[in-house]
């Protein structure tokens, strides 16, 4: 009697009696510990998956989620990870020469001690070596990653092929290879796509100065317009390059003594002759490090611009002294311990992590002990900038959003007041000349 | 982040460039297990790491689902030396506006004084506060039945600021994929055992993720109070869009591992591996809110 009653309550596929049968069968088969709490769950699952107890042998209980990846992504990943092949599959062509590229996977291990995790570092490394071959870039290294709203930028730093032509440049722009445009930078949002590496353009001093006044979150599209006040003349790729250059110029660090000032020209530096990278114990404090690059001047260049036409009566030397006094250089090779944030706190954070015991070396005749400790220096002015040093390997990386740390709130500059229009001049009646007969009535 | 899955889930955190070093992982696991033995929670998660100038703070969160109506009870713990976790102090709403103006980094010393009230270090205490050196003022009620004692004013320590920041981040950012949790008939929250993960298309839509906090908006509050709420999965607030664009959803190159980052709290990320039951959230940053975001977009 009950069975018929239950069989009457039905849905399109099954009736209530059948459904209760199925649910109870599934529970008996699975035998979970908390069947009471999961009872509604089972009922829902049975309804949605159509489990039936007379066909339970054919039912795949586990329903393993199928792992699948887009075909195109599979192929691209494999192509990236395999040996570089410049030709097609049928006619493989090996890469003949690649410029120097530090081993990112080894350095990733050091960065892990600093708390910085480079995601997919092997893929990035392969993408960089592909870039080095296709664009003939030398001295390439992974500069870092700038996070943005829609897609992140992976940035590579290097020296571009010298055959690139730039055309005519305005005089205040420092040409490729000098000043702020010394190194070239490539940005990429998709490391699987080797055509995605775009070289960032040369930048003007005006762009550097404006970038100092704005705070912008990148979108991930290099050609996006940058709408800010004061207006930034350029697209997102110009702003990206400007930020990268600012970060690099103020933060590259080297151990003290690796370079010395050139005599007679204190703004140039030379490598110290017969210099060996010091061991662990000599680099433990901020005093042992110094800046490598010059700072960017207030005018947005690295070197002052001497205009070709000077005003009358001014000697070139005196003119140079004048502008240098107005916009002074900072000392080259200054120590890190002197840097301070605006609120007088130190601008760098140095930590020592890892195993810092001294080990005797394998060879018996050297006195140098081996120390695997890792020295980490993090910048507090540009948060995200990290330098690591361990066992003669020195490396630097930036992982961040691309702006300076600020203690005050950022208020954009107000646009200038729109000036009121000049009032119209009051209309005057037309002057009435005495009637003049026009004289051209002749034929 | 589940404790037993910390090494694997760090791969998601790598997308914003953070990770835990080998030393940190070992010490953290031991400290978390110790914490789990002294106090019983339904679930103990690793919440994240806040970097300071001298030391870092590591935060854990304990969730109690049972016997809590509609939303589990969250308890926070912190440690600066990775030896032992301690309770985070309760929030004091008096200092809320002041804390939001702090823009300098944490130092890593929990006992550091940030707002000085009691007059140590030679500062003058405000005139309306009782002098702590005098004996406690005892104010009696009219009928002498209750005795009101004014507690001595306390300094605002860095650990109090930490409590604010952690609670603020948890409130504004903690997230889950839709379908990952459900209500039982008694309106308690449980993880959904039949959750199989969002598929590739769903995982890249931000509307498929919801806040992990007691619902604040009116329609969600009404939804969760209904009796048939246990058949719905989206009874939490949708991810806020004020300011517009504060959430950034990105994947890695395989398109499978989705991270959802918050741009107001750079360092926060929620993650999910499409097609699996792996999901979670964590904060790895310096604990400073990016209040300029509205000007940056």
């Amino acid at each position: 009697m009950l069975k018929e009653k239950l069989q009457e309550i039905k849905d399109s596929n099954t009736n209530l009696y059948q459904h209760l049968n199925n649910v109870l069968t599934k529970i008996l088969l699975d035998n979970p510990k908390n069947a009471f709490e999961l009872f509604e769950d089972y009922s829902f699952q049975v309804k949605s998956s159509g489990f039936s107890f007379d066909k339970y042998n054919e039912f795949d209980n586990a329903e393993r989620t199928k792992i699948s990846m887009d075909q195109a992504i599979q192929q691209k990943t494999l192509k990236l990870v395999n040996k570089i092949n410049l030709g097609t599959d049928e006619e493989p062509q090996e890469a003949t020469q690649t410029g120097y590229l530090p081993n990112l996977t080894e350095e990733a291990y050091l960065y892990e001690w600093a708390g910085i995790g480079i995601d997919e570092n092997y893929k990035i490394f392969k993408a960089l070596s592909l870039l080095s071959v296709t664009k003939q870039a030398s001295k390439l290294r992974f500069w870092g990653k700038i996070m943005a709203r829609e897609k992140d930028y992976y940035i590579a730093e290097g020296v571009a092929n010298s055959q690139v032509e730039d055309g005519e440049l305005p005089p205040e722009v420092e040409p490729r290879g000098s000043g702020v445009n010394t190194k070239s930078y490539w940005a990429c949002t998709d490391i699987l796509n080797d055509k995605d590496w775009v070289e960032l353009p040369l930048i003007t001093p005006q762009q550097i100065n404006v970038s100092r006044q704005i705070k912008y979150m990148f979108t991930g599209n290099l050609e996006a317009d940058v709408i800010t006040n004061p207006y930034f003349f350029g697209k997102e790729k110009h702003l990206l390059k400007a930020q990268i250059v600012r970060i690099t110029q103020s933060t590259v660090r080297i151990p003290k003594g690796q370079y010395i000032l050139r005599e007679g020209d204190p703004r140039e530096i030379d490598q110290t002759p017969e210099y060996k990278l010091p061991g662990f114990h000599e680099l433990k404090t901020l005093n042992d490090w110094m800046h490598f690059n010059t700072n960017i001047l207030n005018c947005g260049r690295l070197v002052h611009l001497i205009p070709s036409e000077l005003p009358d009566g001014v000697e070139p030397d005196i003119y140079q002294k004048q502008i240098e006094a107005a916009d002074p250089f900072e000392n080259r090779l200054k120590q890190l311990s002197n840097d301070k944030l605006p609120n007088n706190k130190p601008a760098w954070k140095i930590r020592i992590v890892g195993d810092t015991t001294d080990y005797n070396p394998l060879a018996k005749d050297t006195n140098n002990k081996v120390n695997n400790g890792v020295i980490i220096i993090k910048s507090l002015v540009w948060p995200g900038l990290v330098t690591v040093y361990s066992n003669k390997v020195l490396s630097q990386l930036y992982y961040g959003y691309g702006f300076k740390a600020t203690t005050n709130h950022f208020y954009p500059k107000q646009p200038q007041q729109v000036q009121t229009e000049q009032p119209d001049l009051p209309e005057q009646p037309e002057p009435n000349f005495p009637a003049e007969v026009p004289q051209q009535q002749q034929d | 982040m589940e404790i037993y899955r910390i090494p694997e889930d760090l791969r998601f955190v790598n997308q914003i460039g953070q990770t835990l070093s080998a030393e940190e992982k070992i010490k953290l696991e031991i400290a978390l297990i110790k914490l789990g033995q002294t106090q019983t929670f339904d679930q103990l998660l690793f919440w994240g790491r806040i970097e300071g100038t001298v030391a870092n703070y590591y935060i854990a969160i304990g969730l109690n689902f049972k016997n809590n109506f509609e939303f589990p009870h969250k308890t926070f713990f912190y440690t600066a030396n990775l030896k032992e976790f301690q309770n985070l102090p309760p929030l004091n709403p008096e200092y809320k506006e002041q804390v939001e103006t702090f823009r300098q980094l944490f130092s890593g010393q929990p006992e550091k004084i940030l707002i000085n009230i009691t007059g140590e270090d030679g500062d003058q205490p405000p005139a309306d506060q009782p002098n702590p050196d005098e004996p406690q003022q005892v104010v009696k009620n009219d009928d002498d039945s209750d005795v009101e004692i004014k507690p001595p004013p306390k300094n605002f320590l860095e650990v109090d600021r930490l409590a604010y920041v952690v609670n603020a981040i948890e409130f504004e950012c903690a997230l889950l994929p839709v379908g990952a949790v459900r209500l039982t008939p008694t309106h308690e929250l449980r993880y959904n055992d039949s959750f199989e993960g969002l598929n590739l298309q769903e995982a890249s839509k931000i509307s498929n993720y919801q806040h992990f906090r007691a619902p604040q908006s009116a329609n969600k509050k009404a939804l969760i109070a209904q009796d048939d709420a246990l058949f719905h999965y989206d009874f939490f607030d949708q991810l806020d869009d004020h300011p517009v664009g504060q959430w950034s959803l990105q994947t890695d190159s395989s398109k499978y591992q989705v991270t959802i980052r918050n741009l107001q709290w750079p360092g926060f990320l929620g993650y999910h591996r499409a097609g699996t039951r792996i999901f979670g959230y964590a904060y790895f940053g310096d604990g400073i809110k990016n209040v300029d975001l509205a000007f940056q977009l």
Side-chain angles (χ1 to χ4, degrees):
Chain A
M1 255 279 292
L2 182 61
K3 185 170 171 180
E4 279 117 24
K5 208 68 180 154
L6 287 176
Q7 275 174 335
E8 274 173 37
I9 308 175
K10 48 185 169 211
D11 198 4
S12 49
N13 296 331
T14 178
N15 55 38
L16 184 59
Y17 173 71
Q18 192 75 338
H19 178 72
L20 282 173
N21 253 327
N22 293 338
V23 174
L24 290 172
T25 312
K26 191 152 201 311
I27 292 181
L28 284 172
L29 286 176
D30 280 352
N31 199 11
K33 288 198 188 120
N34 47 353
F36 177 68
E37 285 170 5
L38 297 176
F39 189 70
E40 286 87 12
D41 232 359
Y42 270 98
S43 171
F44 187 67
Q45 263 188 354
V46 166
K47 272 192 197 168
S48 50
S49 60
F51 174 80
S52 151
F53 85 101
D54 7 298
K55 302 197 192 118
Y56 64 81
N57 270 332
E58 299 161 10
F59 192 78
D60 183 5
N61 185 35
E63 267 290 329
R64 309 224 176 274
T65 45
K66 298 187 176 50
I67 302 181
S68 67
M69 209 191 273
D70 196 324
Q71 272 293 85
I73 294 185
Q74 284 181 39
Q75 282 174 350
K76 282 191 205 169
T77 311
L78 285 175
K79 186 164 175 234
L80 188 67
V81 173
N82 287 335
K83 202 161 174 186
I84 297 181
N85 177 9
L86 294 172
T88 58
D89 283 338
E90 290 88 45
E91 309 170 9
Q93 180 189 349
E94 279 203 19
T96 45
Q97 277 208 29
T98 42
Y100 173 69
L101 183 65
N103 190 347
L104 193 61
T105 30
E106 279 177 15
E107 297 188 349
Y109 169 70
L110 288 184
Y111 284 110
E112 196 189 306
W113 278 106
I116 303 284
I118 307 178
D119 56 323
E120 309 184 292
N121 52 57
Y122 190 63
K123 288 189 200 164
I124 296 177
F125 177 63
K126 292 299 271 185
L128 284 180
S129 49
L130 200 59
L131 171 69
S132 152
V133 165
T134 50
K135 302 272 166 98
Q136 290 298 309
S138 56
K139 295 202 201 144
L140 211 54
R141 76 175 184 101
F142 181 51
W143 185 88
K145 188 168 165 187
I146 290 194
M147 268 102 66
R149 280 158 58 195
E150 278 150 46
K151 289 190 239 164
D152 300 333
Y153 292 114
Y154 294 91
I155 312 282
E157 171 193 87
V159 178
N161 192 354
S162 51
Q163 292 160 3
V164 177
E165 294 266 337
D166 288 317
E168 282 270 334
L169 292 172
E172 71 261 5
V173 178
E174 286 167 307
R176 176 191 298 272
S178 79
V180 294
N181 291 315
T182 315
K183 294 221 164 137
S184 306
Y185 293 91
W186 286 266
C188 158
T189 52
D190 182 10
I191 49 177
L192 287 185
N193 185 359
D194 56 336
K195 309 235 180 338
D196 204 32
W197 290 100
V198 172
E199 184 172 346
L200 296 177
L202 303 178
I203 45 170
T204 68
Q206 183 196 33
Q207 287 171 336
I208 292 210
N209 274 332
V210 176
S211 78
R212 280 172 165 162
Q213 294 168 23
I214 58 177
K215 200 168 173 186
Y216 180 74
M217 177 81 72
F218 294 103
T219 59
N221 176 8
L222 284 172
E223 302 292 330
D225 285 321
V226 175
I227 313 230
T228 57
N229 183 55
Y231 188 65
F232 183 79
F233 290 94
K235 304 246 175 207
E236 185 159 311
K237 55 187 178 184
H238 296 96
L239 183 61
L240 185 63
K241 173 93 183 280
Q243 292 294 98
I244 293 173
V245 168
R246 282 174 69 201
I247 293 174
T248 314
Q249 287 298 117
S250 59
T251 56
V252 174
R253 292 159 283 205
I254 47 170
K256 185 161 90 167
Q258 189 176 18
Y259 282 80
I260 50 174
L261 298 173
R262 193 180 292 176
E263 287 179 43
D265 192 1
R267 290 204 310 276
E268 299 295 321
I269 55 177
D270 290 324
Q271 264 204 322
T272 313
E274 294 167 11
Y275 176 82
K276 290 199 181 111
L277 273 178
F280 173 77
H281 293 286
E282 282 102 56
L283 291 174
K284 282 195 290 197
T285 65
L286 281 178
N287 280 331
D288 303 319
W289 295 83
M290 51 190 186
H291 282 272
F292 176 66
N293 279 326
T294 56
N295 66 316
I296 304 183
L297 302 167
N298 282 338
C299 60
R301 296 163 46 97
L302 283 189
V303 180
H304 285 293
L305 174 70
I306 312 286
S308 43
E309 294 171 9
L310 294 171
D312 293 333
V314 178
E315 295 288 314
D317 295 334
I318 301 181
Y319 188 78
Q320 183 158 4
K321 286 214 176 64
Q322 274 179 344
I323 44 177
E324 275 179 29
D327 196 358
F329 290 107
E330 290 189 22
N331 290 332
R332 209 73 204 261
L333 299 181
K334 46 182 182 154
Q335 285 182 345
L336 291 194
S337 42
N338 295 335
D339 293 340
K340 292 266 185 283
L341 285 175
N343 53 355
N344 237 5
K345 296 241 171 90
W348 304 94
K349 178 169 88 164
I350 186 165
R351 290 262 184 100
I352 297 168
V353 288
D355 176 29
T356 55
T357 45
D358 287 318
Y359 294 101
N360 280 329
L362 207 55
K364 283 191 202 155
D365 49 352
T366 51
N367 279 333
N368 300 329
K369 305 222 187 235
V370 174
N371 193 318
N372 293 326
V374 182
I375 300 179
I376 305 165
I377 309 181
K378 290 195 183 175
S379 166
L380 300 177
V381 174
W382 294 100
L385 197 292
V386 178
T387 304
V388 289
Y389 177 80
S390 167
N391 256 344
K392 320 267 194 242
V393 175
L394 176 67
S395 175
Q396 187 161 302
L397 198 67
Y398 180 82
Y399 247 90
Y401 284 92
F403 32 85
K404 246 180 170 176
T406 48
T407 39
N408 299 322
H409 290 276
F410 171 76
Y411 289 108
K413 265 170 71 166
Q414 284 221 345
Q416 288 171 339
Q417 286 241 340
V418 177
Q419 292 173 341
T420 50
E421 263 190 36
Q422 255 198 347
D424 284 337
L425 292 171
E427 279 195 15
Q428 306 275 359
E430 259 193 36
N432 264 328
F433 291 113
E436 258 181 63
V437 178
Q439 288 173 352
Q440 317 90 299
Q441 289 288 350
Q442 302 148 356
D443 283 328
Chain B
M1 198 181 282
E2 299 260 10
I3 298 173
Y4 65 90
R5 258 206 340 247
I6 288 180
E8 287 88 31
D9 283 356
L10 280 179
R11 145 170 69 120
F12 294 97
V13 183
N14 284 348
Q15 280 195 27
I16 55 168
Q18 304 284 337
T19 190
L20 292 171
S21 71
E23 190 183 333
E24 283 174 315
K25 277 192 268 210
I26 295 175
K27 286 190 179 170
L28 184 67
E29 196 175 329
I30 294 178
L32 283 168
I33 291 178
K34 247 204 290 193
L35 176 66
Q37 285 168 345
T38 51
Q39 313 209 19
T40 47
F41 292 104
D42 288 343
Q43 197 185 30
L44 186 60
L45 297 173
F46 174 55
W47 187 88
R49 171 185 77 188
I50 293 187
E51 282 195 31
T53 52
V54 173
N56 301 334
Y57 291 111
Y58 300 86
I59 318 279
I61 170 176
L63 295 170
N64 261 322
F65 290 100
K66 298 198 171 71
N67 298 328
N68 274 317
F69 186 71
E70 269 182 24
F71 197 74
H73 185 68
K74 292 179 180 171
T75 325
F76 288 100
F77 300 90
Y78 78 99
T79 175
N81 51 12
L82 277 179
K83 291 203 183 119
E84 210 180 293
F85 276 97
Q86 291 164 314
N87 279 71
L88 216 48
L91 285 181
N92 186 350
E94 250 182 72
Y95 295 107
K96 189 160 176 284
E97 280 115 33
Q98 274 191 305
V99 172
E100 288 181 7
T101 62
F102 285 160
R103 300 273 294 231
Q104 69 267 38
L105 293 169
F106 281 89
S107 69
Q109 298 152 324
E111 303 300 311
K112 184 163 173 214
I113 298 176
L114 293 178
I115 302 177
N116 211 330
I117 307 183
T118 58
E120 290 158 18
D121 302 342
D123 283 320
Q124 288 296 330
D128 53 356
Q129 297 269 357
N131 195 330
D133 292 337
E134 287 169 6
Q136 295 291 332
Q137 288 190 352
V138 174
V139 175
K140 289 202 176 141
N141 263 0
D142 285 337
D143 47 357
D144 269 5
S145 53
D146 292 325
V147 172
E148 208 181 291
I149 303 179
K150 279 196 185 163
K154 252 181 45 165
N155 284 331
F156 188 77
L157 303 172
E158 183 161 291
V159 71
D160 296 313
R161 180 182 169 201
L162 185 67
Y164 267 105
V165 166
V166 169
N167 274 292
I169 296 176
E170 180 75 17
F171 183 78
E172 292 178 27
C173 303
L175 56 82
L176 284 179
V178 168
V181 287
R182 49 179 264 277
L183 290 171
T184 64
T186 50
H187 279 261
E188 287 176 8
L189 205 70
R190 291 282 188 276
Y191 283 111
N192 186 359
D193 289 316
S194 54
F195 177 60
E196 283 169 2
L198 304 172
N199 61 32
L200 261 186
Q201 287 89 355
E202 288 170 358
S204 36
K205 289 214 194 86
I206 194 122
S207 50
N208 284 321
Y209 298 90
Q210 53 190 2
H211 274 288
F212 186 47
R213 65 173 188 224
Q216 306 287 310
S217 63
N219 53 345
K220 297 293 181 187
K221 276 189 187 165
L223 184 60
I224 204 173
Q226 283 175 1
D227 280 336
D228 66 340
L230 61 107
F231 295 117
H232 297 286
Y233 291 122
D234 57 346
F235 42 81
F236 283 140
D237 295 324
Q238 284 244 305
L239 293 181
D240 287 327
D241 223 15
H242 296 291
V244 175
Q246 70 161 327
W247 295 100
S248 160
L249 191 149
Q250 301 201 25
T251 67
D252 71 338
S253 65
S254 71
K255 300 279 186 293
Y256 247 87
Q257 304 184 138
V258 175
T259 55
I260 304 158
R261 309 167 199 176
N262 187 312
L263 299 175
Q264 273 207 325
W265 293 101
F268 176 84
L269 82 159
Y271 57 84
H272 178 51
R273 188 179 153 96
T276 66
R277 295 179 58 176
I278 300 178
F279 61 85
Y281 62 90
Y283 180 82
F284 277 80
D286 54 7
I288 300 177
K289 186 170 179 176
N290 182 13
V291 291
D292 307 326
L293 186 68
F295 294 122
Q296 290 177 294
L297 298 174

